[in-house]
Amino acid sequence: MAKHKRYFLDKPENVTTLWRIFVAVCAALLLVDLVHHRHVTHPWESLLGFYALFGFIGIVLLIMAAKQLRRLVARKENYYDDDDR
Amino acid sequence: MTTIASLPPFVLYFAAALPVALLRGWSRSLLLVLVPIAGGISLLYAEPGAYWHVSLMQYQLILYKVDKLALLFGYLFQLAAFIAVVFSLHVRATGEHVAGLLYVGSALGAVFAGDLITLFVFWELLAITSVFLVWARRTPRAIAAGLRYLIIQILSGVLLLAGAIVHVSQTGSIEFGYLSLGGLASWLIFLAFGIKCAFPLLHSWLVDAYPEATPTGTVFLATFTTKVAVYALARAFPGTELLIYIGAVMTCFPIFYAVIENDLRRVLAYSTINQLGFMVCGIGLGSALAINGAVAHAFNDVIFKGLLFMSMGAVLHVTGRIKASDLGGLYKTMPITTVLCIIGAASISAVPLFSAFVSKALILAAALEEGHPLVWLALLFASAGVLEHAGIKIPFFAFFAHDSGVRAREPPINMLMAMSLAAILCVFIGSYPWVLYDLLPHALAFTPFDSTHVIAQIQLLLFAGLGVFWLMRRGWYPAEIRAINLDADWSYRWLGPRVTHALTALIRPTDAAVRRSVRHRLQTFLDALFRHHGPQGVLARSWPTGSMVIWVAISLAVYLALYYL
């Protein structure tokens, strides 16, 4: 492994920096809601940070639910092999 | 050119299949590339109308019916065929090229079919030609998956035929046009379309077979079958309310599976159902805005999903691996493929200036306009889910994540060219949407990039991304594990065979007992026969004539006795 070239993302500190930039951008975007007035078709849309929160909470629930789904449906890779032959 | 232009578009593909089967090397490659180019140019000369009437018994078939909707899918298929053909130019196996051409031809035939009989013929040809793209992988798994795929596709065709027969007997018309849902005929046809369109519980052929095809075959498969079904739904069942809910379910349920699926091409197969859900929902909503959105989304999906399937096909081609648990860190040696894959990922996630941004927005806006706020929320949730599995998971686990130690080179130049073309189209349509939107069935004024929508979409996507990476950093993100996930196909791959076995086991003892007793009685009868007529039998002591005399005497005696009674 020592011979391998070290790439940008191999260094944990670079990844941490990228993560911090990403969080900062998200925070800034949330602030945009304070100054930018949305013209909306549905009242839910006018809630402060609706899209941001919906995206964040939605995805976290999705992934957590999928983890539970895995306990129900995951099987060994050769599960069907005897039947398929 | 005008002679080609007057021919139905499928003729060119079917005619080219034979020389492609015979030619080798650069001449074959040249012909393969020329077919979709010639086909695309010839469509530019196509005028709306019905051509190529053929009489079959008392029916008038229309092999080539042109209108705005058919024409848009026609252009799309020629474009997709060109990309897929370039992507597979390095493939030596002749069968794959021939199957690819015939498959594209069948799709074009179905889209320009003016009547139900012609549609049925091409519907079945789609199944028969495409299964060879699965079988071309030649693994036992692919052969089994291909067989299951073929059976289900043929079933769809049989349902279509049954529906068409009932429809014709009721209405006397074989025209393929609007059918309102109600009555046996339309339900049978609806179900036939539903199988090919991967409706929930009818979808498992797609996630079963597509990831088992060859790296290049999947690129063909991902484009044509399902989009023909979307086209057929848009023509026959626009505004059918049931489709709104079917579509909403289609957008949501596959994203859960996509999170935990290890095979990256299977993740894309689930993603295909999710994207089809948006189109089906748009067709169900049925307003001009929604239909435009659905058709535009079908167009965009072919290109960005094609790009994603191509990038994963390229990874499989150069590394021989496709499972998230076996990949990672490929960006180090495959930077071009990485960038192209990310463009596809951005497009499917509907990032502003990439292709799905406008088309998905049209469908979402239509859902609110038509008064379906809960459906709208479901679609919004599914949009965030797309970012998770197609926007982040696909590029992240293939090219970044933990370093798998694989140091693969970039794929062959033809693969890179095809992917680049698709990527350019994604960005071009995303940045200049009106070029595509002028071709849509309904003329509508729209502002693709208003600040509200752009900001809302960026917020939705970035915060969804934040959620994903936050879970990853906390270690809560589900790890890539070597496993498969049970889906609807479990019913016929596991349950079906076992139920059959159990039933056979139940019937077997009864069956054996019945056979035994029948055999026993037969034996007793034969024994009795042998006792009387056998060599030692009473009745065998005399010649047959003697035996006959005895019987005549006995019957006369009986007759005499009866006479005196």
Side-chain angles (χ1 to χ4, degrees):
Chain A
M1 281 305 278
K3 276 189 219 160
H4 276 311
K5 201 172 133 193
R6 293 264 285 170
Y7 289 84
F8 182 74
L9 292 174
D10 288 340
K11 297 177 186 155
E13 62 270 23
N14 288 341
V15 177
T16 309
T17 315
L18 282 177
W19 169 246
R20 286 189 182 143
I21 294 172
F22 184 51
V23 172
V25 170
C26 286
L29 255 176
L30 198 55
L31 294 178
V32 171
D33 261 13
L34 295 175
V35 286
H36 177 257
H37 177 71
R38 262 202 284 272
H39 52 94
V40 298
T41 19
H42 198 275
W44 296 334
E45 284 183 277
S46 50
L47 299 171
L48 187 71
F50 170 79
Y51 283 99
L53 286 175
F54 189 87
F56 185 82
I57 295 169
I59 212 89
V60 170
L61 288 180
L62 164 72
I63 293 168
M64 287 311 177
K67 267 177 99 166
Q68 299 309 310
L69 177 69
R70 173 179 269 176
R71 293 160 61 140
L72 195 69
V73 299
R75 293 291 183 279
K76 283 195 186 120
E77 280 183 314
N78 58 3
Y79 178 77
Y80 285 124
D81 285 359
D82 297 334
D83 300 306
D84 284 354
R85 270 198 289 276
Chain B
M1 204 73 236
T2 44
T3 31
I4 296 179
S6 62
L7 286 172
F10 72 87
V11 173
L12 188 61
Y13 283 82
F14 284 9
L18 183 67
V20 162
L22 298 175
L23 290 171
R24 294 287 180 276
W26 66 267
S27 52
R28 180 173 75 182
S29 300
L30 187 69
L31 180 61
L32 278 168
V33 171
L34 280 178
V35 171
I37 293 177
I41 294 172
S42 72
L43 274 189
L44 294 176
Y45 292 90
E47 292 289 330
Y51 314 95
W52 287 86
H53 299 265
V54 178
S55 295
L56 180 77
M57 291 175 282
Q58 74 265 43
Y59 298 113
Q60 276 278 315
L61 306 189
I62 301 166
L63 297 190
Y64 190 20
K65 187 175 172 187
V66 183
D67 66 4
K68 231 176 162 183
L69 185 65
L71 207 51
L72 187 70
F73 276 86
Y75 287 132
L76 173 62
F77 286 174
Q78 304 277 10
L79 185 61
F82 180 74
I83 294 172
V85 157
V86 171
F87 186 74
S88 52
L89 278 181
H90 66 280
V91 173
R92 300 237 176 130
T94 307
E96 264 196 79
H97 291 296
V98 174
L101 281 186
L102 294 175
Y103 179 42
V104 178
S106 311
L108 285 164
V111 157
F112 289 105
D115 65 277
L116 287 166
I117 296 174
T118 310
L119 180 71
F120 162 75
V121 170
F122 286 113
W123 199 260
E124 292 288 43
L125 280 176
L126 273 173
I128 296 163
T129 52
S130 60
V131 72
F132 289 98
L133 297 170
V134 183
W135 283 340
R137 188 95 175 273
R138 288 163 196 270
T139 59
R141 201 178 275 259
I143 288 164
L147 208 55
R148 289 191 292 274
Y149 166 84
L150 186 63
I151 290 168
I152 295 172
Q153 296 294 308
I154 295 290
L155 176 70
S156 163
V158 171
L159 287 171
L160 176 61
L161 180 63
I165 290 170
V166 178
H167 180 77
V168 172
S169 69
Q170 281 170 353
T171 63
S173 157
I174 59 165
E175 197 208 344
F176 175 42
Y178 177 75
L179 301 161
S180 66
L181 193 56
L184 181 64
S186 60
W187 271 102
L188 285 169
I189 295 174
F190 188 74
L191 207 58
F193 292 175
I195 290 177
K196 271 220 191 336
C197 201
F199 282 2
L201 301 180
L202 307 176
H203 69 278
S204 49
W205 61 269
L206 196 160
V207 286
D208 182 19
Y210 282 11
E212 301 300 341
T214 60
T216 49
T218 309
V219 177
F220 279 96
L221 287 169
T223 298
F224 297 101
T225 299
T226 51
K227 299 310 171 299
V228 169
V230 165
Y231 162 82
L233 282 173
R235 175 158 307 278
F237 299 104
T240 304
E241 197 183 353
L242 182 61
L243 286 176
I244 302 175
Y245 308 112
I246 291 178
V249 173
M250 284 172 76
T251 59
C252 287
F253 94 86
I255 59 182
F256 293 92
Y257 272 96
V259 173
I260 52 175
E261 178 57 53
N262 194 30
D263 183 321
L264 292 179
R265 289 200 300 170
R266 192 155 279 132
V267 172
L268 289 176
Y270 278 112
S271 172
T272 302
I273 301 175
N274 156 279
Q275 295 299 308
L276 287 168
F278 284 96
M279 298 164 215
V280 169
C281 198
I283 294 167
L285 289 163
S287 65
L289 180 69
I291 295 285
N292 268 6
V295 174
H297 202 59
F299 196 101
N300 290 334
D301 178 70
V302 161
I303 296 167
F304 60 64
K305 188 59 59 54
L307 176 53
L308 288 169
F309 267 118
M310 284 193 282
S311 67
M312 289 303 109
V315 166
L316 176 61
H317 178 75
V318 294
T319 67
R321 307 173 183 201
I322 196 58
K323 289 172 183 158
S325 52
D326 302 344
L327 289 167
L330 290 179
Y331 81 96
K332 296 170 180 176
T333 49
M334 299 174 72
I336 304 173
T337 310
T338 308
V339 169
L340 294 171
C341 177
I342 289 173
I343 292 175
S347 301
I348 194 172
S349 307
V351 173
L353 298 182
F354 292 88
S355 59
F357 175 69
V358 178
S359 52
K360 205 181 275 181
L362 297 180
I363 299 168
L364 277 139
L368 273 186
E369 264 185 21
E370 302 298 308
H372 292 281
L374 289 178
V375 170
W376 172 73
L377 272 189
L379 298 185
L380 204 61
F381 172 68
S383 306
V386 174
L387 176 89
E388 193 286 326
H389 68 255
I392 295 177
K393 180 169 180 170
I394 292 288
F396 185 78
F397 284 120
F399 299 106
F400 302 96
H402 50 76
D403 193 334
S404 59
V406 177
R407 292 288 178 271
R409 264 187 264 167
E410 294 280 8
I413 182 77
N414 64 300
M415 282 185 158
L416 287 175
M417 279 164 64
M419 288 191 281
S420 305
L421 176 59
I424 290 167
L425 283 168
C426 282
V427 177
F428 178 77
I429 295 171
S431 309
Y432 301 95
W434 40 87
V435 177
L436 167 63
Y437 292 76
D438 286 344
L439 298 172
L440 293 178
H442 303 282
L444 276 180
F446 74 111
T447 43
F449 302 113
D450 70 306
S451 67
T452 294
H453 180 216
V454 170
I455 292 172
Q457 182 70 5
I458 293 177
Q459 283 177 334
L460 179 79
L461 292 177
L462 278 188
F463 273 82
L466 188 71
V468 174
F469 286 115
W470 177 67
L471 288 173
M472 280 181 182
R473 286 182 74 84
R474 304 234 42 173
W476 291 346
Y477 190 87
E480 318 87 87
I481 54 169
R482 299 172 153 281
I484 59 142
N485 300 307
L486 305 184
D487 196 347
D489 55 346
W490 179 81
S491 61
Y492 54 82
R493 293 175 71 183
W494 194 93
L495 187 65
R498 272 160 188 74
V499 167
T500 322
H501 274 148
L503 283 179
T504 342
L506 214 73
I507 293 167
R508 193 172 290 141
T510 326
D511 176 65
V514 168
R515 277 164 199 273
R516 215 173 19 243
S517 107
V518 167
R519 211 159 37 217
H520 179 72
R521 276 166 204 200
L522 200 66
Q523 194 60 51
T524 327
F525 172 68
L526 285 177
D527 286 348
L529 215 59
F530 187 77
R531 216 165 32 244
H532 300 303
H533 293 271
Q536 306 298 324
V538 181
L539 296 170
R541 285 180 197 157
S542 156
W543 286 92
T545 35
S547 160
M548 200 175 76
V549 170
I550 290 171
W551 283 117
V552 170
I554 289 172
S555 52
L556 279 176
V558 169
Y559 178 73
L560 210 61
L562 287 173
Y563 184 77
Y564 282 112
L565 277 176

